[in-house]
Coordinates of all heavy atoms in Angstrom, one line a residue:
I1 N 0.8 -1.2 0.0 CA 0.0 0.0 0.0 C 0.9 1.3 0.0 O 0.6 2.2 -0.7 CB -0.9 0.0 1.2 CG1 -2.0 -1.2 1.1 CG2 -1.7 1.3 1.4 CD1 -2.8 -1.3 2.3
K2 N 2.0 1.2 0.7 CA 2.8 2.4 0.9 C 3.7 2.6 -0.3 O 3.9 3.8 -0.8 CB 3.7 2.2 2.2 CG 4.5 3.5 2.5 CD 5.2 3.3 3.8 CE 6.1 4.5 4.2 NZ 6.8 4.3 5.5
Y3 N 4.3 1.6 -0.9 CA 5.3 1.7 -1.9 C 4.8 1.2 -3.3 O 5.5 1.5 -4.3 CB 6.6 1.0 -1.6 CG 7.2 1.4 -0.3 CD1 7.2 0.5 0.8 CD2 7.9 2.6 -0.1 CE1 7.8 0.9 2.0 CE2 8.4 3.0 1.1 CZ 8.4 2.1 2.1 OH 8.9 2.5 3.3
G4 N 3.7 0.5 -3.4 CA 3.3 -0.1 -4.6 C 4.1 -1.3 -4.9 O 4.9 -1.8 -4.1
I5 N 4.0 -1.9 -6.1 CA 4.8 -3.1 -6.5 C 6.1 -2.6 -7.0 O 6.2 -2.0 -8.1 CB 4.0 -3.9 -7.6 CG1 2.6 -4.3 -7.1 CG2 4.8 -5.1 -8.0 CD1 2.7 -5.2 -5.9
L6 N 7.2 -3.1 -6.3 CA 8.6 -2.7 -6.7 C 9.3 -3.9 -7.4 O 10.5 -3.8 -7.7 CB 9.3 -2.3 -5.5 CG 8.7 -1.1 -4.7 CD1 9.6 -0.8 -3.4 CD2 8.7 0.2 -5.5
I7 N 8.6 -5.0 -7.5 CA 9.3 -6.2 -8.0 C 9.6 -6.2 -9.5 O 8.8 -5.8 -10.3 CB 8.4 -7.5 -7.7 CG1 8.2 -7.6 -6.2 CG2 9.0 -8.7 -8.2 CD1 7.2 -8.6 -5.8
D8 N 10.9 -6.5 -9.8 CA 11.3 -6.6 -11.2 C 12.0 -8.0 -11.3 O 13.2 -8.2 -11.0 CB 12.3 -5.5 -11.5 CG 12.8 -5.6 -12.9 OD1 12.3 -6.4 -13.7 OD2 13.8 -4.8 -13.3
P9 N 11.3 -9.0 -11.9 CA 11.8 -10.4 -11.9 C 13.0 -10.6 -12.8 O 13.6 -11.6 -12.6 CB 10.5 -11.2 -12.4 CG 9.7 -10.2 -13.1 CD 9.9 -8.9 -12.4
V10 N 13.3 -9.7 -13.7 CA 14.4 -9.9 -14.6 C 15.7 -9.2 -14.1 O 16.7 -9.2 -14.8 CB 14.0 -9.4 -16.0 CG1 12.9 -10.2 -16.6 CG2 13.8 -7.9 -16.0
Q11 N 15.6 -8.6 -12.9 CA 16.8 -7.8 -12.5 C 18.0 -8.7 -12.2 O 19.1 -8.3 -12.4 CB 16.4 -7.0 -11.2 CG 17.5 -6.0 -10.8 CD 17.1 -5.1 -9.7 OE1 16.1 -5.3 -9.0 NE2 17.9 -4.2 -9.3
W12 N 17.8 -9.9 -11.7 CA 18.9 -10.8 -11.5 C 19.7 -11.0 -12.8 O 20.9 -11.0 -12.8 CB 18.4 -12.2 -11.1 CG 18.1 -12.5 -9.7 CD1 17.0 -13.1 -9.1 CD2 18.9 -12.1 -8.5 NE1 17.1 -13.1 -7.8 CE2 18.3 -12.5 -7.4 CE3 20.1 -11.4 -8.4 CZ2 18.8 -12.3 -6.1 CZ3 20.6 -11.2 -7.1 CH2 20.0 -11.7 -6.0
F13 N 19.0 -11.1 -13.9 CA 19.7 -11.4 -15.2 C 20.3 -10.2 -15.8 O 21.4 -10.3 -16.4 CB 18.7 -12.0 -16.2 CG 17.9 -13.2 -15.6 CD1 16.7 -13.1 -15.1 CD2 18.6 -14.5 -15.7 CE1 16.0 -14.3 -14.6 CE2 17.9 -15.6 -15.2 CZ 16.6 -15.5 -14.7
T14 N 19.7 -9.0 -15.6 CA 20.3 -7.8 -16.1 C 21.6 -7.5 -15.4 O 22.5 -6.9 -16.0 CB 19.3 -6.6 -16.0 OG1 19.0 -6.4 -14.7 CG2 18.1 -6.9 -16.9
V15 N 21.7 -7.8 -14.1 CA 22.9 -7.5 -13.3 C 24.1 -8.3 -13.9 O 25.2 -7.7 -14.1 CB 22.7 -7.9 -11.9 CG1 24.1 -7.9 -11.1 CG2 21.8 -6.9 -11.2
F16 N 23.9 -9.5 -14.4 CA 25.0 -10.4 -14.9 C 25.1 -10.4 -16.4 O 26.2 -10.5 -16.9 CB 24.8 -11.8 -14.4 CG 25.0 -11.9 -12.9 CD1 23.8 -11.9 -12.1 CD2 26.2 -12.1 -12.3 CE1 24.0 -12.0 -10.7 CE2 26.3 -12.2 -10.9 CZ 25.2 -12.2 -10.1
L17 N 24.0 -10.3 -17.1 CA 24.0 -10.5 -18.5 C 23.9 -9.3 -19.4 O 23.7 -9.4 -20.6 CB 22.8 -11.5 -18.9 CG 22.9 -12.8 -18.1 CD1 21.7 -13.7 -18.6 CD2 24.2 -13.5 -18.4
N18 N 23.9 -8.1 -18.8 CA 23.9 -6.9 -19.6 C 25.3 -6.7 -20.2 O 26.3 -6.4 -19.5 CB 23.5 -5.7 -18.7 CG 23.4 -4.4 -19.5 OD1 23.1 -4.4 -20.7 ND2 23.5 -3.3 -18.8
K19 N 25.4 -6.9 -21.5 CA 26.7 -6.9 -22.2 C 27.6 -7.8 -21.6 O 28.7 -7.4 -21.0 CB 27.3 -5.5 -22.2 CG 26.4 -4.4 -23.0 CD 27.1 -3.1 -23.0 CE 26.2 -2.1 -23.7 NZ 26.8 -0.7 -23.7
P20 N 27.3 -9.1 -21.6 CA 28.2 -10.1 -20.9 C 29.6 -10.1 -21.3 O 30.5 -10.4 -20.5 CB 27.5 -11.5 -21.2 CG 26.7 -11.2 -22.5 CD 26.3 -9.8 -22.4
T21 N 29.9 -9.8 -22.6 CA 31.3 -9.8 -23.0 C 32.1 -8.7 -22.4 O 33.3 -8.7 -22.4 CB 31.4 -9.7 -24.5 OG1 30.7 -8.6 -25.0 CG2 30.8 -11.0 -25.2
E22 N 31.4 -7.6 -21.9 CA 32.0 -6.5 -21.3 C 31.9 -6.5 -19.8 O 32.4 -5.6 -19.1 CB 31.5 -5.2 -21.9 CG 31.6 -5.1 -23.4 CD 31.0 -3.8 -24.0 OE1 30.5 -3.0 -23.2 OE2 30.9 -3.7 -25.2
S23 N 31.1 -7.4 -19.3 CA 30.9 -7.4 -17.8 C 32.1 -7.9 -17.1 O 32.6 -9.0 -17.3 CB 29.7 -8.3 -17.5 OG 29.5 -8.5 -16.1
P24 N 32.6 -7.1 -16.1 CA 33.8 -7.6 -15.3 C 33.5 -8.9 -14.6 O 34.4 -9.7 -14.4 CB 34.0 -6.4 -14.4 CG 33.4 -5.2 -15.0 CD 32.2 -5.8 -15.8
S25 N 32.3 -9.0 -14.1 CA 32.0 -10.2 -13.3 C 32.0 -11.5 -14.1 O 32.6 -12.5 -13.7 CB 30.6 -10.1 -12.7 OG 29.6 -9.9 -13.7
I26 N 31.5 -11.4 -15.4 CA 31.6 -12.6 -16.3 C 33.1 -12.9 -16.6 O 33.5 -14.0 -16.7 CB 30.8 -12.3 -17.5 CG1 29.3 -12.1 -17.2 CG2 30.9 -13.5 -18.5 CD1 28.6 -13.3 -16.5
L27 N 33.8 -11.8 -16.9 CA 35.3 -12.0 -17.2 C 36.0 -12.7 -16.1 O 36.9 -13.5 -16.3 CB 35.9 -10.7 -17.6 CG 35.3 -10.0 -18.9 CD1 36.0 -8.7 -19.1 CD2 35.5 -10.9 -20.1
I28 N 35.7 -12.3 -14.8 CA 36.4 -12.9 -13.7 C 36.0 -14.4 -13.6 O 36.9 -15.2 -13.3 CB 36.0 -12.2 -12.4 CG1 36.5 -10.7 -12.4 CG2 36.5 -12.9 -11.1 CD1 36.1 -9.9 -11.2
L29 N 34.7 -14.7 -13.8 CA 34.3 -16.1 -13.8 C 35.0 -16.9 -14.8 O 35.4 -18.1 -14.6 CB 32.8 -16.2 -13.9 CG 31.9 -15.8 -12.8 CD1 30.5 -15.9 -13.1 CD2 32.2 -16.6 -11.5
L30 N 35.2 -16.4 -16.0 CA 35.9 -17.1 -17.1 C 37.3 -17.3 -16.7 O 37.9 -18.3 -17.0 CB 35.8 -16.3 -18.4 CG 34.4 -16.2 -19.0 CD1 34.4 -15.4 -20.3 CD2 33.8 -17.6 -19.3
G31 N 37.9 -16.3 -16.1 CA 39.3 -16.4 -15.6 C 39.5 -17.5 -14.6 O 40.5 -18.2 -14.5
L32 N 38.5 -17.7 -13.7 CA 38.6 -18.7 -12.7 C 38.7 -20.1 -13.3 O 39.3 -21.0 -12.6 CB 37.4 -18.6 -11.8 CG 37.3 -17.5 -10.8 CD1 36.0 -17.5 -10.0 CD2 38.5 -17.5 -9.9
T33 N 38.1 -20.3 -14.4 CA 38.1 -21.7 -15.0 C 39.5 -22.0 -15.6 O 39.8 -23.2 -15.8 CB 37.1 -21.8 -16.2 OG1 37.5 -20.8 -17.2 CG2 35.7 -21.5 -15.7
V34 N 40.4 -21.0 -15.7 CA 41.8 -21.2 -16.2 C 42.7 -21.6 -15.1 O 43.7 -22.3 -15.3 CB 42.3 -20.0 -17.0 CG1 43.7 -20.2 -17.5 CG2 41.3 -19.7 -18.1
V35 N 42.4 -21.1 -13.9 CA 43.3 -21.3 -12.8 C 43.6 -22.8 -12.5 O 44.8 -23.1 -12.2 CB 42.8 -20.6 -11.5 CG1 43.7 -20.8 -10.3 CG2 42.6 -19.1 -11.7
P36 N 42.6 -23.7 -12.5 CA 42.9 -25.1 -12.3 C 43.9 -25.7 -13.3 O 44.7 -26.6 -12.9 CB 41.6 -25.8 -12.4 CG 40.6 -24.7 -12.0 CD 41.2 -23.5 -12.6
L37 N 44.0 -25.1 -14.5 CA 45.0 -25.6 -15.4 C 46.4 -25.3 -14.9 O 47.3 -26.2 -15.0 CB 44.8 -24.9 -16.8 CG 43.6 -25.4 -17.6 CD1 43.5 -24.5 -18.9 CD2 43.8 -26.8 -18.0

């Protein structure tokens, strides 16, 4: 009643997948897969 509906169900994906090739978080994850080598 006070704030209305604030829910955005796609926000999880926009945080990680907005321009994934330029996202620092995605690049860090890809780098982690090389460390075991």
Side-chain angles (χ1 to χ4, degrees):
I1 293 173
K2 184 175 181 180
Y3 303 108
I5 301 296
L6 304 175
I7 297 172
D8 180 7
V10 299
Q11 189 174 8
W12 274 137
F13 304 99
T14 59
V15 168
F16 293 94
L17 301 180
N18 186 20
K19 298 181 180 179
T21 57
E22 302 176 8
S23 174
S25 58
I26 299 298
L27 296 178
I28 293 174
L29 286 177
L30 293 176
L32 286 178
T33 61
V34 180
V35 177
L37 284 176

